[in-house]
Amino acid sequence: MNEYWRYRGLIMEQRNEKRMERRCLFGCVVVLLWSVAWAQIRYSVSEEVNEGTVVGNIAKDLGLDKSTLKDRKYRIVSSNADPLFHVNQNDGVLYVSRKIDREEVCAQSSTCLINLKTVLENPLEVHYVAVELLDINDHSPSFPEIEEKLDISESVLPGARIQLRAARDPDSGQFSVQQYKLNPNDHFRLEVKDKGDDGKIPILVVQKSLDRETAESHTLTLTALDGGKPPKSGEMNILVKVLDVNDNVPVFSKDVYSVMLNENAPVGTTVIQVNATDSDEGVNGEVVYSFSNSVNQRLLGIFDINPSTGEIIVKGLIDYEHKDKYEIEIKASDKALAPLATEKSVIVKIVDLNDNAPEIDVTSFSSFISEDSRLGTTVALISVTDLDSGLNGKVMCSIAEDVPFALSPSLQEKIYSLVTKSPLDREKQSQYDMTIVAKDAGQPPLSSQKTIHVVVSDVNDNSPEFSLSPYSFYITEGNDPGASVFSVKAFDCDENENARISYHIFRDGNDDRKVTSFLNINSENGQISALKSFDFETVKTFQFQVVASDSGSPSLSSNVTVNVFILDQNDNAPVILYPVSSNGSAEGVEEIPRNVNAGHLVTKVRAYDADIGYNGWLLFSLQELTDHSLFGLDRYTGQVRTLRSFTETDEAQHKLVILVKDNGNVSLSATATVLVKVVEPKEAFAASDVKSSAKHDEDNNVTFYLMITLGSVSVLFLISIIVLIAMQCSKSTDYTSKYLQEPNYDGTLCHSIQYRSGDKRYMLVGPRMSIGSTIVPGSHANTLVLPDRRRTCDEVR
């Protein structure tokens, strides 16, 4: 600060040297000071400087990067519509926005300090700058009146003191009123009383006895001068009228008057009553009370005095925050023609009441915060003010709701940062309405609140989830190519692009790839369509995986397994395996001796159906027959047997047309034609010998290879039986399900599915059933209960 005064003294010397040849603009009279307690930058600038005058380079003094000021929206936070200063975002220089009148801003304050709050965003930074307005001598002292009339008795003794109205100078410090001068005269001299903040008060002192007969009045000139160089002055004429004798002045009953008054006291409240007495008699001893001439005009709007009783009463608003103490000069005068008066100071101390609720100001606020923000991230900067003092002005801030945010106090008093205190999850709560409550410590306490709305923005932290896992779908074979067969669905708890899901089929090198290559999925809705028809006889089941990916960055995905089961349709007609002619037609010729008995096996029709279950269960029936009494057909095995012995009257040739059909909802069928020739026994044997001799040589060569083949098949069959028995015994549960093929093949292909539950064995049979089996009541028609022994197709005769 000493550097400042030396610098200012140098300017004053330069002004004296130029002898006011021109007016000097106060520009950039700047002194940079650092406040250790608050870490503020402090500048000084004179009032009345031109608009655009440089105050200081904040960016340079704070060490800020000038290139980022504009991007970070460097600015001064002010609620004033017409701010005094502004900062250039390009270079960080603080400029004067308009001409500043210090007397308008700070009135009579000895030090005019303007605190500025500057803010940088991304990240949020707050810097405080204090600018001191230096006064210049731009006002002259002035008196309330250009003339003051005084009535002074001739009996007044030398040394009598009459307080005069003080001059007022809007300037402060040394440019305020510094001294008074009285024109030279023989009867009066001037003294000055310094009242501190209220300035200097001129007092007229009688230095020589007055003689009315010599001079009835005296005209004086009082001059007030300020401390400028050169000083400015103002004058007031004093007209002193000398009155006749009234030689006793009123005397107050107390030397000191002091009282405590609550702020906001109602109008009309009695503050205190002063009392003065006058020893004179008559009108010379009657006392009237009034405010002294030195009382400030503002004080006259707050207090009033009863001229008869001396009661000081409240006239206006008493506000502790505006002023906490008043010193009132009371004058007691008698009613003599030349009244005598005395003055006394009454000290009124204002008692602070808790009449101001705290005020909450959100100076910087980010309404959006990412859900992955770290703990301690600043959301808003909050300042709290309370105009009361003491406990009444001590404020505590809190958040009314239970939210993942907290108020963190800063180094500067009554400044808080709203920060995150726990992790955020938009999927649980996407926005918060927080009520900031500020409460003082007065009795009763006053509080205020402000609501802040914070929206939690989404990040891609949730993978898509399928509604089922795994999926199982059943498709009937023979589906239409290109049609949608089934669909999958996934959802994502995120929002917008992070929740937009696309689907695709995961394809790798496994065996199911050949099947999945004929599948296509709609990437938007998960609809899966087959590009070709499925054939149960080719593939019965397959498995693949669908991947759901969101559109976030980075993208998250999940997959699900889809199991597809093909359901059989009756799409295959029975195929006749025997009899088959050389041209491929289902025709054959059988020769039997005439002497065979009833029950003789004539032939057996063998057929095959590629379907399973009812669709592959074959039944045989005689569609055409020359003699119904001679031949019979087993509907399950296809065996044709004689019902009786042949007679001489029976025809030698019989035609049998055998119908083979499955048990599908819409049955499919095939027919076989068998010609049965009845021959005499010798002819039958002869024909048999001819055939045997023709094949004897060929059979001799084939027999050896056939025996080897049959032996190998038998060994493999035994090994398979042993493995199946071992697997059956190793099952830990009572329920097992096995899919077995009939071990003994007799020409008619038998399809069956066997399984065990408890002590019972069940079989879902194909084209024929064992005669020893029983249909379970209430079950499907093709579910059988099997005995413990296994019977082959040849045993059912």
Side-chain angles (χ1 to χ4, degrees):
M1 204 63 189
N2 292 333
E3 181 183 354
Y4 161 72
W5 290 115
R6 288 196 301 271
Y7 186 79
R8 186 166 182 176
L10 179 59
I11 292 178
M12 294 303 176
E13 291 175 3
Q14 291 176 354
R15 283 183 176 178
N16 291 334
E17 292 174 358
K18 294 182 180 179
R19 299 183 179 183
M20 302 300 292
E21 292 178 355
R22 60 184 179 88
R23 296 186 64 183
C24 178
L25 295 176
F26 285 80
C28 298
V29 184
V30 180
V31 177
L32 176 64
L33 297 174
W34 288 90
S35 174
V36 175
W38 301 107
Q40 290 181 331
I41 297 178
R42 184 165 174 171
Y43 299 100
S44 297
V45 65
S46 297
E47 67 171 335
E48 299 296 336
V49 296
N50 292 330
E51 177 182 351
T53 300
V54 176
V55 179
N57 193 327
I58 301 177
K60 178 180 178 182
D61 296 335
L62 287 177
L64 301 176
D65 186 2
K66 295 181 180 180
S67 63
T68 63
L69 296 179
K70 192 167 186 179
D71 293 337
R72 296 181 66 187
K73 299 180 181 178
Y74 188 49
R75 65 188 184 279
I76 297 174
V77 178
S78 174
S79 59
N80 192 350
D82 187 13
L84 302 177
F85 304 93
H86 68 275
V87 64
N88 191 315
Q89 292 186 347
N90 295 320
D91 52 14
V93 175
L94 182 65
Y95 294 91
V96 175
S97 297
R98 59 182 174 86
K99 280 193 175 184
I100 305 173
D101 186 358
R102 183 186 184 280
E103 289 70 34
E104 178 185 348
V105 177
C106 298
Q108 293 289 330
S109 300
S110 59
T111 301
C112 183
L113 197 64
I114 299 175
N115 292 312
L116 304 177
K117 185 190 301 181
T118 64
V119 175
L120 283 163
E121 296 183 358
N122 301 322
L124 180 64
E125 293 183 23
V126 178
H127 301 284
Y128 296 90
V129 178
V131 179
E132 181 183 5
L133 282 179
L134 303 179
D135 194 18
I136 63 174
N137 192 19
D138 57 342
H139 295 85
S140 298
S142 62
F143 290 91
E145 302 289 341
I146 61 174
E147 184 179 89
E148 183 173 3
K149 295 180 179 180
L150 300 177
D151 295 331
I152 301 177
S153 175
E154 65 175 346
S155 63
V156 69
L157 298 176
R161 301 162 62 87
I162 301 97
Q163 184 169 310
L164 304 176
R165 294 186 181 185
R168 292 288 179 262
D169 192 334
D171 296 324
S172 63
Q174 65 176 358
F175 299 126
S176 62
V177 176
Q178 298 297 315
Q179 59 178 324
Y180 291 91
K181 290 182 179 181
L182 189 67
N183 64 309
N185 66 89
D186 296 332
H187 295 86
F188 301 93
R189 63 181 175 86
L190 189 65
E191 289 185 0
V192 179
K193 180 181 179 181
D194 192 348
K195 296 187 68 175
D197 292 339
D198 289 334
K200 294 178 171 58
I201 308 300
I203 300 175
L204 188 66
V205 180
V206 178
Q207 65 179 358
K208 184 179 179 180
S209 298
L210 302 176
D211 187 359
R212 178 181 173 278
E213 287 69 28
T214 303
E216 293 183 354
S217 63
H218 299 271
T219 301
L220 306 174
T221 301
L222 179 64
T223 303
L225 299 95
D226 60 20
K229 293 183 180 181
K232 294 185 178 183
S233 62
E235 294 182 350
M236 181 180 68
N237 294 324
I238 302 174
L239 180 62
V240 179
K241 182 180 180 182
V242 182
L243 302 178
D244 203 7
V245 178
N246 178 24
D247 54 355
N248 287 290
V249 297
V251 178
F252 284 96
S253 60
K254 292 182 180 180
D255 293 333
V256 178
Y257 286 94
S258 181
V259 67
M260 306 290 288
L261 176 65
N262 290 335
E263 68 170 327
N264 299 326
V267 174
T269 300
T270 299
V271 181
I272 193 173
Q273 184 177 12
V274 297
N275 183 44
T277 59
D278 194 319
S279 300
D280 294 325
E281 293 181 351
V283 294
N284 292 333
E286 294 181 9
V287 180
V288 292
Y289 302 93
S290 63
F291 290 120
S292 171
N293 294 330
S294 63
V295 172
N296 192 288
Q297 292 295 323
R298 288 181 299 175
L299 191 142
L300 295 178
I302 299 175
F303 299 100
D304 199 3
I305 188 168
N306 189 316
S308 301
T309 62
E311 287 182 335
I312 301 175
I313 60 176
V314 176
K315 181 181 179 182
L317 176 63
I318 306 297
D319 190 358
Y320 174 87
E321 288 70 39
H322 183 263
K323 196 168 185 179
D324 60 354
K325 185 179 74 171
Y326 294 93
E327 184 177 355
I328 308 173
E329 295 289 339
I330 304 300
K331 181 171 69 172
S333 306
D334 57 30
K335 294 183 178 181
L337 293 177
L340 297 178
T342 185
E343 296 182 355
K344 184 66 69 176
S345 293
V346 177
I347 306 300
V348 180
K349 296 181 180 179
I350 307 301
V351 178
D352 183 33
L353 297 180
N354 192 22
D355 60 339
N356 291 281
E359 295 182 1
I360 302 173
D361 182 24
V362 180
T363 58
S364 185
F365 173 57
S366 298
S367 58
F368 289 88
I369 182 170
S370 178
E371 64 175 322
D372 62 348
S373 298
R374 295 182 298 176
L375 299 184
T377 299
T378 300
V379 179
L381 193 65
I382 299 171
S383 62
V384 182
T385 57
D386 194 318
L387 298 178
D388 295 320
S389 63
L391 290 177
N392 295 333
K394 187 171 182 62
V395 181
M396 298 297 293
C397 267
S398 62
I399 301 177
E401 297 83 8
D402 183 16
V403 293
F405 298 90
L407 289 174
S408 174
S410 64
L411 295 177
Q412 197 165 11
E413 189 179 5
K414 298 181 181 180
I415 300 293
Y416 297 86
S417 297
L418 181 63
V419 300
T420 56
K421 71 175 182 179
S422 60
L424 303 177
D425 189 351
R426 189 204 65 81
E427 287 69 41
K428 293 182 179 178
Q429 188 165 351
S430 61
Q431 56 186 358
Y432 295 90
D433 287 314
M434 291 170 287
T435 304
I436 309 298
V437 179
K439 185 177 182 181
D440 61 28
Q443 290 298 328
L446 298 179
S447 63
S448 61
Q449 62 186 29
K450 193 162 192 175
T451 300
I452 295 178
H453 182 73
V454 177
V455 177
V456 181
S457 59
D458 186 43
V459 296
N460 192 24
D461 57 349
N462 289 279
S463 300
E465 295 183 9
F466 285 91
S467 55
L468 291 175
S469 182
Y471 281 93
S472 293
F473 296 104
Y474 297 87
I475 304 173
T476 302
E477 66 172 332
N479 57 290
D480 295 332
S484 176
V485 289
F486 49 82
S487 65
V488 296
K489 185 67 176 177
F491 62 92
D492 196 313
C493 296
D494 295 319
E495 64 177 0
N496 299 330
E497 288 299 311
N498 296 333
R500 189 165 63 87
I501 298 175
S502 61
Y503 304 87
H504 70 274
I505 297 175
F506 177 73
R507 307 182 191 275
D508 56 6
N510 59 18
D511 294 337
D512 289 333
R513 181 167 184 178
K514 292 184 292 184
V515 179
T516 58
S517 62
F518 294 101
L519 296 178
N520 185 36
I521 187 168
N522 189 314
S523 61
E524 295 182 358
N525 56 25
Q527 288 284 342
I528 298 175
S529 56
L531 302 180
K532 73 166 189 175
S533 295
F534 292 106
D535 186 5
F536 176 83
E537 288 70 37
T538 303
V539 58
K540 295 178 176 58
T541 180
F542 62 91
Q543 183 185 87
F544 65 96
Q545 288 189 329
V546 175
V547 179
S549 304
D550 59 31
S551 300
S553 179
S555 177
L556 301 178
S557 63
S558 61
N559 56 3
V560 68
T561 299
V562 180
N563 297 308
V564 181
F565 299 92
I566 308 302
L567 301 179
D568 186 36
Q569 287 278 78
N570 190 21
D571 57 346
N572 290 280
V575 177
I576 305 298
L577 300 179
Y578 182 85
V580 178
S581 65
S582 58
N583 59 5
S585 60
E587 296 178 354
V589 178
E590 296 290 340
E591 294 181 350
I592 59 174
R594 184 179 291 274
N595 60 351
V596 295
N597 297 322
H600 176 75
L601 178 61
V602 178
T603 185
K604 181 176 182 179
V605 178
R606 295 177 176 85
Y608 165 77
D609 195 315
D611 297 319
I612 66 168
Y614 282 111
N615 298 329
W617 183 4
L618 301 181
L619 295 177
F620 301 85
S621 62
L622 285 170
Q623 187 178 22
E624 184 180 337
L625 180 63
T626 56
D627 189 350
H628 292 279
S629 65
L630 187 55
F631 299 98
L633 175 66
D634 190 319
R635 66 175 302 187
Y636 299 113
T637 62
Q639 293 178 348
V640 179
R641 295 179 181 272
T642 57
L643 296 178
R644 60 178 176 81
S645 299
F646 288 95
T647 64
E648 293 297 332
T649 61
D650 291 329
E651 296 181 359
Q653 181 172 312
H654 300 271
K655 180 180 180 182
L656 284 69
V657 178
I658 301 171
L659 176 66
V660 182
K661 67 176 182 177
D662 56 30
N663 281 269
N665 291 331
V666 178
S667 296
L668 300 178
S669 63
T671 58
T673 302
V674 178
L675 293 176
V676 179
K677 294 181 179 180
V678 181
V679 297
E680 295 302 327
K682 291 183 179 180
E683 294 178 1
F685 293 144
S688 176
D689 290 340
V690 171
K691 293 179 181 179
S692 298
S693 63
K695 296 181 179 179
H696 178 72
D697 295 336
E698 183 180 354
D699 290 342
N700 287 336
N701 296 328
V702 175
T703 300
F704 177 73
Y705 299 105
L706 182 60
M707 292 176 62
I708 295 176
T709 302
L710 290 175
S712 300
V713 171
S714 299
V715 172
L716 291 175
F717 174 75
L718 290 175
I719 294 174
S720 300
I721 293 299
I722 294 172
V723 171
L724 290 175
I725 293 173
M727 291 176 62
Q728 181 69 25
C729 294
S730 64
K731 294 291 183 178
S732 59
T733 60
D734 291 336
Y735 174 79
T736 60
S737 177
K738 295 185 178 181
Y739 300 90
L740 302 176
Q741 184 178 357
E742 189 66 33
N744 294 324
Y745 172 69
D746 59 0
T748 300
L749 300 183
C750 303
H751 296 275
S752 65
I753 300 175
Q754 300 181 16
Y755 60 93
R756 179 186 299 274
S757 178
D759 296 332
K760 294 183 178 181
R761 292 175 62 232
Y762 298 90
M763 178 175 70
L764 182 64
V765 299
R768 60 186 178 83
M769 298 183 294
S770 296
I771 295 176
S773 302
T774 306
I775 297 178
V776 179
S779 67
H780 296 293
N782 59 340
T783 303
L784 306 177
V785 179
L786 299 180
D788 289 337
R789 63 186 180 87
R790 180 171 298 173
R791 304 181 65 182
T792 65
C793 294
D794 290 336
E795 291 176 333
V796 183
R797 297 263 176 132

Coordinates of all heavy atoms in Angstrom, one line a residue, residues 477-502:
E477 N -42.1 -79.5 -40.8 CA -41.3 -79.6 -42.0 C -42.2 -79.1 -43.2 O -43.4 -79.2 -43.1 CB -40.8 -81.0 -42.2 CG -41.9 -82.0 -42.4 CD -41.4 -83.4 -42.8 OE1 -40.3 -83.4 -43.4 OE2 -42.0 -84.4 -42.5
G478 N -41.6 -78.7 -44.3 CA -42.3 -78.3 -45.4 C -42.8 -76.9 -45.3 O -43.7 -76.5 -46.0
N479 N -42.1 -76.1 -44.5 CA -42.4 -74.6 -44.4 C -42.2 -73.9 -45.7 O -41.4 -74.3 -46.6 CB -41.6 -74.0 -43.3 CG -40.1 -74.1 -43.5 OD1 -39.6 -75.2 -43.4 ND2 -39.4 -73.0 -43.9
D480 N -42.9 -72.7 -45.9 CA -42.7 -71.9 -47.1 C -41.4 -71.2 -47.1 O -41.0 -70.5 -46.1 CB -43.8 -70.9 -47.2 CG -45.2 -71.6 -47.4 OD1 -45.2 -72.7 -47.9 OD2 -46.2 -71.0 -46.9
P481 N -40.6 -71.4 -48.1 CA -39.3 -70.7 -48.2 C -39.5 -69.1 -48.1 O -40.4 -68.6 -48.8 CB -38.6 -71.1 -49.5 CG -39.3 -72.4 -49.8 CD -40.7 -72.3 -49.3
G482 N -38.6 -68.5 -47.4 CA -38.7 -67.0 -47.3 C -39.7 -66.5 -46.2 O -39.6 -65.3 -45.9
A483 N -40.5 -67.3 -45.7 CA -41.5 -66.9 -44.7 C -40.8 -66.8 -43.3 O -39.9 -67.6 -43.0 CB -42.7 -67.8 -44.7
S484 N -41.4 -65.9 -42.5 CA -40.9 -65.8 -41.1 C -41.3 -67.1 -40.3 O -42.5 -67.5 -40.4 CB -41.4 -64.6 -40.4 OG -41.0 -64.5 -39.1
V485 N -40.4 -67.7 -39.6 CA -40.7 -68.9 -38.9 C -40.7 -68.7 -37.4 O -41.5 -69.3 -36.7 CB -39.6 -70.0 -39.2 CG1 -39.8 -70.5 -40.6 CG2 -38.2 -69.5 -39.0
F486 N -39.9 -67.7 -36.9 CA -40.0 -67.4 -35.4 C -39.2 -66.1 -35.3 O -38.6 -65.6 -36.2 CB -39.4 -68.5 -34.6 CG -38.1 -69.1 -35.0 CD1 -36.9 -68.4 -34.7 CD2 -38.0 -70.2 -35.7 CE1 -35.7 -68.9 -35.1 CE2 -36.8 -70.7 -36.1 CZ -35.6 -70.1 -35.8
S487 N -39.2 -65.6 -34.1 CA -38.5 -64.3 -33.8 C -37.9 -64.3 -32.4 O -38.4 -65.1 -31.5 CB -39.4 -63.1 -34.0 OG -40.4 -63.1 -33.0
V488 N -36.8 -63.5 -32.2 CA -36.2 -63.3 -30.9 C -36.4 -61.8 -30.5 O -36.5 -61.0 -31.4 CB -34.8 -63.8 -30.9 CG1 -34.6 -65.2 -31.1 CG2 -34.0 -63.0 -31.9
K489 N -36.3 -61.5 -29.3 CA -36.5 -60.2 -28.8 C -35.6 -59.9 -27.7 O -35.5 -60.7 -26.7 CB -38.0 -59.9 -28.4 CG -38.3 -58.5 -28.0 CD -38.2 -57.6 -29.2 CE -38.6 -56.2 -28.9 NZ -38.5 -55.3 -30.0
A490 N -34.9 -58.7 -27.8 CA -34.0 -58.3 -26.7 C -34.3 -56.9 -26.4 O -34.9 -56.1 -27.2 CB -32.5 -58.4 -27.1
F491 N -34.0 -56.5 -25.1 CA -34.2 -55.1 -24.7 C -33.0 -54.5 -24.0 O -32.1 -55.3 -23.6 CB -35.4 -55.0 -23.8 CG -35.2 -55.8 -22.5 CD1 -34.7 -55.2 -21.3 CD2 -35.6 -57.1 -22.4 CE1 -34.6 -55.9 -20.2 CE2 -35.4 -57.9 -21.3 CZ -34.9 -57.3 -20.1
D492 N -32.8 -53.2 -24.0 CA -31.7 -52.5 -23.5 C -32.1 -51.4 -22.6 O -33.0 -50.6 -22.9 CB -30.8 -52.0 -24.6 CG -29.4 -51.6 -24.1 OD1 -29.3 -51.0 -23.0 OD2 -28.4 -52.0 -24.8
C493 N -31.6 -51.4 -21.3 CA -32.1 -50.4 -20.3 C -31.6 -49.0 -20.6 O -32.1 -48.0 -20.0 CB -31.6 -50.8 -18.9 SG -32.4 -52.3 -18.4
D494 N -30.6 -48.9 -21.5 CA -30.2 -47.5 -21.9 C -31.2 -46.8 -22.8 O -32.3 -47.3 -23.0 CB -28.8 -47.6 -22.6 CG -27.7 -48.2 -21.7 OD1 -27.7 -47.8 -20.6 OD2 -26.9 -49.0 -22.2
E495 N -30.9 -45.6 -23.2 CA -31.8 -44.9 -24.1 C -31.2 -44.4 -25.3 O -29.9 -44.4 -25.5 CB -32.4 -43.7 -23.3 CG -31.3 -42.6 -22.9 CD -32.0 -41.4 -22.2 OE1 -33.2 -41.4 -22.0 OE2 -31.2 -40.5 -21.8
N496 N -32.0 -43.9 -26.3 CA -31.6 -43.4 -27.5 C -30.7 -44.4 -28.3 O -31.0 -45.6 -28.4 CB -30.9 -42.0 -27.3 CG -31.8 -41.0 -26.7 OD1 -33.1 -41.1 -26.9 ND2 -31.3 -40.1 -25.9
E497 N -29.6 -43.9 -28.8 CA -28.7 -44.8 -29.6 C -28.2 -45.9 -28.8 O -27.9 -47.0 -29.3 CB -27.6 -44.0 -30.2 CG -28.0 -43.0 -31.3 CD -28.6 -43.8 -32.5 OE1 -28.0 -44.8 -33.0 OE2 -29.7 -43.4 -33.0
N498 N -27.9 -45.7 -27.5 CA -27.4 -46.8 -26.7 C -28.4 -47.9 -26.5 O -28.0 -49.0 -26.0 CB -27.0 -46.2 -25.3 CG -25.9 -45.2 -25.4 OD1 -25.1 -45.3 -26.3 ND2 -25.9 -44.3 -24.4
A499 N -29.7 -47.7 -26.8 CA -30.7 -48.7 -26.6 C -31.2 -49.2 -28.0 O -32.1 -50.1 -28.0 CB -31.9 -48.2 -25.8
R500 N -30.7 -48.7 -29.1 CA -31.2 -49.2 -30.4 C -30.4 -50.5 -30.7 O -29.2 -50.5 -30.8 CB -30.9 -48.1 -31.5 CG -31.5 -48.5 -32.8 CD -31.6 -47.3 -33.7 NE -30.2 -46.8 -34.0 CZ -29.5 -47.2 -35.0 NH1 -30.0 -48.2 -35.8 NH2 -28.3 -46.8 -35.2
I501 N -31.2 -51.6 -30.8 CA -30.6 -52.9 -30.9 C -30.7 -53.4 -32.4 O -31.7 -53.2 -33.1 CB -31.4 -53.9 -30.0 CG1 -31.2 -53.4 -28.5 CG2 -30.8 -55.3 -30.2 CD1 -32.0 -54.2 -27.6
S502 N -29.6 -54.1 -32.8 CA -29.6 -54.8 -34.1 C -29.2 -56.2 -33.8 O -28.5 -56.5 -32.9 CB -28.5 -54.1 -35.0 OG -27.2 -54.2 -34.5

